[in-house]
Amino acid sequence: MPLKDKLVLVIQSTRYLGDFLLSLPVARALLDGGARPVFLSHEKFRELFALSGLNAIYWDKDGNERGLRGMRVVVKRIKSTRPDAAVMLHKSHRSALVAFSAGIPERVGFSDSPARALYTKRFPYEQGLHETVRFQRLLLPLGLEEGLVREEMWFPERGKLLEAARPVAPKEPFVLIAPGSSWRVKRWSPGNFAEVAERFLGKGFRVILSGGKADRGVSAEVADKAKGVADLAGRLSFPEFLGLVGLASLVVSGDSAPVHAAGIFGTPCIAIYGPTVREMGFWPLSPRSKIVEVPLRCRPCKARAERPCPLGHHDCMAKITPDMVIRAAEDLL
């Protein structure tokens, strides 16, 4: 069946900003294909959807709509929009069950998902492709033309993000450093981030530290060691943070949302990757970017979330030095 005029529900309901940003090119592909995208998204991204002009159904899955009762509420919300198809970007049982319970006629997801029995169409999760491309290729069984799939980051109203950030942005050139991460094994040491910050301060740049509320402790530790930085971790709205990425002279981050946000604006970006490797599909898409990493047999690492290095040494991060990051930055700037 052709994709044109279909109302397609894009299910991206994780709480991570990086996942949200990686999902947006799916909307661009749907719009280019003549379809009508609507997202099922986490409640926390409401402000970003308002700026983007994209339609969304919200799921407060960490608040009042958690559990089976919340799922029933969300199913009713979806039924009222009557989608023709749903695309499950993540391999979640809960998302698949919601789409199935809402009676959506076509439900597409990855063929290796544990929830694949609830899909009407399955598509391979292809290694070596960027995640944005893998997500868009899920639309091929719905009739998307292959030529509309593009390796890109995308936000439909970038100018509104920049305007949101101008009141909090320095007038002088600045570097944005994001020392936190949702996964413990992806975190470079605060001391190393502080040394990098001091080097930029010495070169005449302002330095802003960013991150969510959970990153305040790490960010405060960097700020304590690198006097003169502006610590804004946990104090920015999502539009302010993304706009600052667009206004920055350089972004320095681990494998986290700032890397993907830099791709929206083409901001120069240094990605400090330890457990992550390029083949996993999460490399920076800014045309001016560099990955700083060390080759190790134990990469990629299978540790997740707050688990420490399973081998006890964390060499993938410990062997990356501030000098390596500064040299990469000098190449870009």
Side-chain angles (χ1 to χ4, degrees):
M1 294 178 63
L3 184 62
K4 184 174 174 58
D5 295 328
K6 279 185 179 178
L7 180 62
V8 180
L9 182 69
V10 181
I11 299 184
Q12 196 294 302
S13 53
T14 76
R15 64 181 60 85
Y16 299 114
L17 178 60
D19 288 342
F20 167 79
L21 296 176
L22 290 165
S23 74
L24 292 181
V26 173
R28 192 274 312 155
L30 285 168
L31 290 167
D32 287 354
R36 296 172 291 141
V38 58
F39 280 77
L40 176 62
S41 184
H42 198 287
E43 172 72 25
K44 68 192 292 184
F45 300 122
R46 185 181 289 267
E47 190 175 10
L48 285 174
F49 275 112
L51 286 180
S52 73
L54 297 170
N55 294 320
I57 299 166
Y58 300 105
W59 186 357
D60 186 15
K61 63 194 303 182
D62 296 322
N64 294 329
E65 294 170 358
R66 69 178 66 186
L68 290 175
R69 182 178 179 182
M71 287 174 65
R72 286 195 291 268
V73 171
V74 171
V75 166
K76 289 181 180 179
R77 209 170 284 159
I78 293 170
K79 282 183 175 180
S80 70
T81 66
R82 302 179 67 180
D84 299 300
V87 179
M88 268 66 68
L89 301 187
H90 300 103
K91 305 168 187 178
S92 161
H93 277 103
R94 184 160 48 165
S95 295
L97 184 58
V98 163
F100 176 81
S101 301
I104 300 174
E106 293 184 274
R107 303 180 302 277
V108 185
F110 290 113
S111 57
D112 62 344
S113 168
R116 60 187 176 273
L118 297 175
Y119 305 157
T120 61
K121 297 179 180 179
R122 301 159 191 85
F123 197 82
Y125 187 86
E126 300 164 278
Q127 298 297 325
L129 298 179
H130 196 276
E131 187 81 339
T132 57
V133 173
R134 284 194 288 245
F135 284 169
Q136 291 171 70
R137 286 179 62 78
L138 280 176
L139 303 174
L140 296 179
L142 297 177
L144 182 75
E145 295 179 12
E146 182 106 33
L148 293 178
V149 175
R150 297 204 295 265
E151 184 182 281
E152 63 177 0
M153 297 300 300
W154 180 79
F155 192 92
E157 296 285 352
R158 294 185 306 173
K160 291 182 179 179
L161 298 176
L162 298 176
E163 289 305 313
R166 291 193 197 282
V168 297
K171 294 182 180 178
E172 306 87 354
F174 69 94
V175 174
L176 187 140
I177 295 178
S181 173
S182 300
W183 293 6
R184 182 175 175 182
V185 290
K186 292 183 179 181
R187 296 176 196 152
W188 203 36
S189 78
N192 284 340
F193 273 117
E195 186 172 335
V196 169
E198 287 177 330
R199 298 276 285 274
F200 282 117
L201 290 168
K203 293 175 182 292
F205 288 94
R206 296 285 299 277
V207 175
I208 292 177
L209 303 181
S210 74
K213 292 180 180 178
D215 301 318
R216 283 176 172 173
V218 174
S219 189
E221 193 173 342
V222 176
D224 185 61
K225 297 175 184 292
K227 305 300 181 184
V229 302
D231 184 4
L232 300 184
R235 302 177 187 177
L236 297 170
S237 68
F238 284 141
E240 288 172 336
F241 161 69
L242 293 175
L244 280 178
V245 170
L247 295 171
S249 299
L250 178 73
V251 169
V252 181
S253 174
D255 176 15
S256 194
V259 169
H260 307 307
I264 294 173
F265 300 97
T267 303
C269 174
I270 301 296
I272 303 169
Y273 280 13
T276 307
V277 296
R278 181 182 175 89
E279 290 72 22
M280 295 170 70
F282 298 97
W283 62 84
L285 289 183
S286 171
R288 294 182 292 167
S289 60
K290 284 184 175 292
I291 295 175
V292 179
E293 59 187 341
V294 291
L296 294 170
R297 290 184 178 179
C298 56
R299 296 177 66 225
C301 179
K302 295 182 180 179
R304 296 292 185 268
E306 281 298 313
R307 298 175 188 172
C309 168
L311 300 180
H313 53 63
H314 207 202
D315 280 352
C316 63
M317 283 299 198
K319 290 190 174 183
I320 296 174
T321 67
D323 280 342
M324 293 167 65
V325 173
I326 291 296
R327 284 197 298 271
E330 289 173 344
D331 288 345
L332 288 179
L333 298 177

